[in-house]
Amino acid sequence: MTLRILAIDDRDPASILMEVGKANAHEVVALSSDDSEKTELKAFLKQLFGAAETAFKGEPENADTSHFNEFDLVLLDFGLTTLGGFGVRLTAEHLAGYIRALTDVPYVVSLNKLGEVDFDLKYLLGDFDTRADLALNTELLSTTGLWSDEAEDGAFCPWYWPRLNEAARRRRAQIDFVKQHLDQPILESLGFPTEVIEQLSLQAIAFLSPEAEDGQANGPGSVRDVTFWQHFRSSNRTLIRDDRCGLFGGPNAAIPETIENVDDSIKMIAARVVAGELDFWFRRDILGPQRLLIDAPHLQAKYRFRPGEGDKVDPKTWSATVKESAPEFGLATEFYGVIAEFEFQQTHEDVGLIWTDKPCFWLPKIENCQAFTELAERHPMRHNNLVFCEDTRRFVDMREAVRFETALGRGIDIRYIQKLAGYNYSPKSQLAR
C-alpha cells in the first residue's frame, strides 16, 4: 500500500523527503520553505485555523478541511517558528490536535521535538506529552522497520514504534469502531476480561475518566461504565475544554451528557479524538507495562518455554516471536496451544490488530489457567542468558545487553537494550545501576 504523505516544515522539508525515500516508496508531498512556497504553507495552515475557528463557534459542519483529505499521514516539524502572521511562534503542538480532530488525516507524526531522544527509556513512547500520534527525529524516518514488517537484523528499530505502513489503515478502523460504539462502555466494547479490569492501574482508570473510581465492581463510579462519549467529554489531551464546548456554541456551552441529539459532524470529531487517545492509552497503560496485555517476545522472555531445546538455545529461534505475524507467532507449539484462547481479539471489519499492531495476549487469563499451570509443571522454566532487546527487536546474550528500568508501573519493569552507538537513549537515569 502506497501512503500519501504530507510533510510540513518551514526550513528543510527536503530532508524529510530524503529520509522517507531511503526507507520506502511512499509518495511524499512537501510544503517547503523557500520564499515562493512559504506563502503556500502559510495559506495551508491558515485554512486549518480558519476551520477550527468555524468549528469552535458552533458550526463544525461548515469547517472546511478538504485540503487535508487526500493525505494518509502528516509529518510535522515541531518548530515552525520562522512562519510569521500567526501571532505566535508556531509549533507542531499548535496543529496536531486540530489535524486529528477536524481533518480526515488519520495519523500525525511530530518531528524533532525532543532532539536529544532517540529511544525513550522512561515510558517507551518517544514523547509522553505530544498531541501527535508519534514523535521522532527526522533522521529516524529512514529506518526500514518503521515502514514495514521487517527490521534489518541488529539495526536500531525500537519495538515500541508503531508500523507507519499500517498506521493510517489501523486508525481509520479505530475511528469507525469508536463511532459505532460512541455511547457504549469502553471496556465492554473492547472485550476486556473481568480479571484485567480488576487489575487496571490507577493511571489507566484516570485516563479514561477522572470521575471513575475503580474496576472492582459495577455501580456508580466504576470504570466499567465509562463510555467513549464520556471520555471525549472529560479529556483535554487533544482539544481543550473551551474547544470541545465551542462545538456546541461557545466556550461556556454545555457538552451534552448523551449523544442523542448530537450532530454527526461532532460525533465524527469525537470518534477521531477518542480513537487517537485510546491508541496512546493502549501503548502507555495497557501494553506498555506488559502486565495486562503481553506480546509474543515478552511472553517468550517471561516464561522461557521451548520444550526440547535442552541446554542449547538459539537466539534466532527466540527472535522469531518478533517476526512471525501468524499463529503460532514464533512461540512453541505446545505453549501456544494452551494460550491461544487468550489472544486479544481486536479485528474490525477487514482490519486486524486495530488497537495494538502486534499480536497480544491477556496475561491475567494465562496466569489463572489450570492448563498452563500443568504445562509449566511438566516443563519447568529453563534458565539461560538470552534477553529481549527493546531497541533492536531481537534476543541476545545478556552479556551483550544493558539493563534499564521503565517508569510504566507494575509489570516487566526491567528491560534490556543493546545500546547502539550513534543513538541517544534518554533519560539516562533509567539505566540500571
Side-chain angles (χ1 to χ4, degrees):
M1 174 185 174
T2 297
L3 300 176
R4 179 87 165 157
I5 301 171
L6 174 65
I8 297 179
D9 189 343
D10 61 331
R11 292 187 180 91
D12 187 20
S15 64
I16 299 176
L17 273 66
M18 179 180 68
E19 298 298 337
V20 174
K22 290 177 184 177
N24 65 88
H26 297 298
E27 182 179 359
V28 184
V29 174
L31 295 179
S32 71
S33 59
D34 48 24
D35 290 340
S36 62
E37 293 182 337
K38 192 173 288 190
T39 300
E40 179 189 1
L41 175 54
K42 286 182 182 179
F44 200 87
L45 298 182
K46 284 183 177 180
Q47 190 173 354
L48 175 64
F49 284 118
E53 184 175 3
T54 299
F56 303 137
K57 285 184 177 179
E59 301 178 26
E61 70 280 5
N62 296 324
D64 180 14
T65 57
S66 57
H67 54 310
F68 277 94
N69 288 351
E70 62 182 298
F71 299 106
D72 301 299
L73 183 68
V74 171
L75 303 176
L76 183 61
D77 184 59
F78 178 73
L80 300 170
T81 55
T82 69
L83 291 175
F86 290 93
V88 295
R89 289 166 63 81
L90 287 183
T91 71
E93 296 304 313
H94 289 104
L95 307 178
Y98 290 165
I99 293 173
R100 172 184 292 165
L102 302 176
T103 81
D104 285 338
V105 176
Y107 211 83
V108 181
V109 178
S110 173
L111 301 174
N112 308 314
K113 180 182 179 184
L114 301 175
E116 72 280 10
V117 179
D118 294 317
F119 187 98
D120 175 12
L121 294 166
K122 192 171 186 179
Y123 294 114
L124 300 178
L125 288 169
D127 180 15
F128 181 83
D129 293 318
T130 184
R131 291 180 176 179
D133 296 296
L134 181 66
L136 296 171
N137 293 322
T138 295
E139 56 269 24
L140 297 177
L141 292 172
S142 61
T143 309
T144 303
L146 180 63
W147 300 94
S148 70
D149 297 337
E150 290 291 334
E152 297 178 18
D153 189 42
F156 181 84
C157 189
W159 181 237
Y160 67 77
W161 280 357
R163 293 173 297 163
L164 293 185
N165 58 313
E166 292 289 337
R169 187 166 176 257
R170 289 180 55 241
R171 177 55 53 78
R172 289 188 176 109
Q174 291 172 354
I175 292 169
D176 188 60
F177 180 93
V178 172
K179 194 165 187 291
Q180 290 184 22
H181 296 82
L182 200 54
D183 60 345
Q184 299 172 24
I186 294 173
L187 299 177
E188 178 184 342
S189 299
L190 294 173
F192 272 51
T194 297
E195 300 96 318
V196 173
I197 296 174
E198 291 175 348
Q199 295 184 43
L200 287 174
S201 68
L202 300 180
Q203 178 173 268
I205 293 171
F207 187 89
L208 294 184
S209 171
E211 300 299 319
E213 296 177 6
D214 61 55
Q216 294 299 313
N218 290 310
S222 174
V223 70
R224 298 168 187 261
D225 298 327
V226 176
T227 67
F228 295 94
W229 179 252
Q230 287 172 334
H231 174 76
F232 175 72
R233 294 181 75 242
S234 64
S235 172
N236 285 305
R237 185 173 182 86
T238 299
L239 295 176
I240 63 172
R241 181 171 178 80
D242 283 0
D243 287 345
R244 286 178 288 117
C245 292
L247 295 169
F248 298 93
N252 297 317
I255 304 175
E257 293 187 5
T258 70
I259 65 170
E260 185 176 357
N261 296 311
V262 174
D263 187 81
D264 279 347
S265 62
I266 298 178
K267 291 179 183 178
M268 177 55 75
I269 290 171
R272 293 176 184 136
V273 167
V274 175
E277 294 185 358
L278 287 182
D279 184 275
F280 171 85
W281 179 71
F282 267 100
R283 284 185 285 152
R284 185 190 69 178
D285 296 331
I286 306 303
L287 180 59
Q290 301 286 330
R291 181 176 68 89
L292 301 177
L293 273 180
I294 188 167
D295 55 42
H298 289 97
L299 267 174
Q300 180 64 56
K302 182 177 179 68
Y303 293 119
R304 318 191 75 75
F305 182 84
R306 301 204 79 85
E309 192 172 58
D311 294 327
K312 295 181 179 180
V313 294
D314 182 0
K316 291 185 177 179
T317 301
W318 285 46
S319 296
T321 54
V322 173
K323 299 177 180 180
E324 296 294 335
S325 59
E328 304 154 346
F329 308 120
L331 298 166
T333 298
E334 193 174 3
F335 184 22
Y336 177 76
V338 170
I339 68 171
E341 64 178 301
F342 307 129
E343 184 180 352
F344 176 32
Q345 302 300 321
Q346 48 176 318
T347 299
H348 180 66
E349 303 295 345
D350 62 340
V351 182
L353 301 178
I354 71 168
W355 295 109
T356 69
D357 66 354
K358 306 166 179 65
C360 298
F361 300 82
W362 296 115
L363 184 58
K365 299 286 284 187
I366 295 174
E367 293 176 334
N368 290 338
C369 174
Q370 181 62 31
F372 174 73
T373 300
E374 294 172 356
L375 179 66
E377 290 173 351
R378 292 197 305 271
H379 299 280
M381 182 185 296
R382 303 191 68 90
H383 296 282
N384 57 55
N385 287 330
L386 290 186
V387 295
F388 177 64
C389 288
E390 308 281 347
D391 57 341
T392 54
R393 303 188 178 196
R394 63 176 180 172
F395 283 86
V396 303
D397 190 288
M398 185 184 296
R399 290 166 291 189
E400 301 175 33
V402 175
R403 298 167 69 242
F404 72 99
E405 185 173 351
T406 73
L408 289 169
R410 289 188 301 128
I412 303 178
D413 295 328
I414 298 297
R415 310 287 179 95
Y416 295 86
I417 50 175
Q418 286 196 260
K419 202 171 185 293
L420 301 182
Y423 297 95
N424 198 350
Y425 296 75
S426 181
K428 290 184 170 54
S429 59
Q430 302 299 130
L431 295 172
R433 294 185 174 91

